[in-house]
Each structure stands twice: as structure tokens, then as C-alpha cells.
Amino acid sequence: LTIAEVNKLDSEEFIEIFGNVVENCKLAAAAVWSHKPFQDVDHLNQTIADFLDALPQKGKEGVLRCHPDLAGRLAQAGQLTAESTQEQRSAGLDQLTQDELSTLTDLNQQYKVKFGFPFVICARLNKKAAILNGLTERLKHSAEEETLAGVEEVKKICQLRIVDIVTSEAKL
Ligand SMILES: NC(=O)NC1=NC(=O)NC1=O
């Protein structure tokens, strides 16, 4: 889609196309539609980033809770969204050894028990070693720090998903 075509979408079409740029959070797309016309893909991405930043603490935690665990129950059952499936595969999370999987599962569980929301990281920008290191490091942080860190990762995931949908004019 070019940004000109994006700006022609009515709200239903916009939500249909952009509804999962923030995983399982159609609200983000529904909320930013009224900012159109978008100058370019960066403007569209920034409006969603601003929406996420403006959420109250509980809202930020809610967005994180809408994310599936890395190599978690849904991933193992093949029930991830198409985007998450592709992202987790790109980080090599579908080729974990039994040891890696049990370590990741254990750390994810510790993280969730400590913070009350799952560990979120942009899997397209981190291979499995970086993910395991990130999880180990971030487990030491406070809930406030991790809410912000998680939302920063959600923004990175969102930006890459938007780029997959919106082609810049130059490419045409
Ligand atoms: N808990 C997560 O970080 N999940 C994910 N990160 C991604 O980049 N894709 C996911 O499904």
C-alpha cells in the first residue's frame, strides 16, 4: 500500500489492515486513524508510538499482556498470529534445543511472576542468544523500568510490521 492509498482507507479498512501492527491490539490502529492524512510511513508509525506512550501505566501493562510468550504455549501449539509466527521463526525460536526451551520457559515464567506481564522483545532484531541475555538482564529491573522497556520493544515490532504493509513511493 502506498501512503496515499492508506489515507483513502475508511476506519474499518484501516483497522482491518493495521489492526495487528501492535499484537492483538486493534485499539491502537482504531485510535490513530483520525490522525490521517499521514504524511509518510514515519508519521503513521509515530502516531502509534505516541498513542502507546500516552497510555497510563495499566494501559501499557495491558498492551504487554496481549503479547504471546516467545516459544511459549501458543507458539508450540502453532497458534501464533502470522506476524508473530514469522518473527519468532526469524529469531530461531522454532529451533531451540530442549535445554534452551526449558531455560526460556523458566525465565519467561520468572519474569511474568515478578512483573505480572510477559517479557516482550522485538524478535526480528534479536537472535535467540540476545533474547536469552535480554531476558536474564531485564529480570533484574523494576516493574516501571520493564513496562517502559517492553513498550519500546512493542514500538520496534510495530514499526517493522508497518513497513511490511506500507511501501514508500520510491519503491513503486
Ligand atoms: N513476547 C514477545 O516478545 N513476543 C514477540 N516478540 C516479537 O517480535 N514477536 C512476538 O510474538
Side-chain angles (χ1 to χ4, degrees), residues 28-93:
V32 304
W33 177 77
S34 42
H35 284 272
K36 75 179 187 134
F38 300 100
Q39 270 83 25
D40 51 30
V41 65
D42 291 338
H43 176 214
L44 168 55
N45 191 58
Q46 194 55 50
T47 53
I48 294 184
D50 292 346
F51 169 80
L52 293 170
D53 286 341
L55 289 172
Q57 179 70 12
K58 292 293 173 207
K60 289 188 172 79
E61 290 171 11
V63 168
L64 298 176
R65 289 189 194 108
C66 287
H67 281 71
D69 283 343
L70 293 168
R73 187 177 49 78
L74 289 179
Q76 292 175 51
Q79 283 161 3
L80 291 175
T81 57
E83 295 92 340
S84 281
T85 301
Q86 196 273 338
E87 287 155 356
Q88 297 203 22
R89 182 183 305 130
S90 74
L93 294 176

Side-chain angles (χ1 to χ4, degrees), residues 2-46:
T2 65
I3 202 69
E5 287 164 335
V6 169
N7 287 325
K8 291 194 193 91
L9 300 173
D10 64 29
S11 56
E12 276 171 44
E13 293 162 336
F14 186 86
I15 294 168
E16 173 66 29
I17 292 168
F18 292 97
N20 205 50
V21 292
V22 176
E23 181 73 359
N24 296 322
C25 186
K26 278 184 177 180
L27 174 64
V32 304
W33 177 77
S34 42
H35 284 272
K36 75 179 187 134
F38 300 100
Q39 270 83 25
D40 51 30
V41 65
D42 291 338
H43 176 214
L44 168 55
N45 191 58
Q46 194 55 50

Side-chain angles (χ1 to χ4, degrees), residues 4 64 71 91-92 94 110 137 146 148 153 161 168:
L64 298 176
D94 56 346
Q110 285 180 48
E137 271 312 299
E146 276 307 298
L148 298 177
E153 292 302 310
R161 290 183 180 186
S168 63

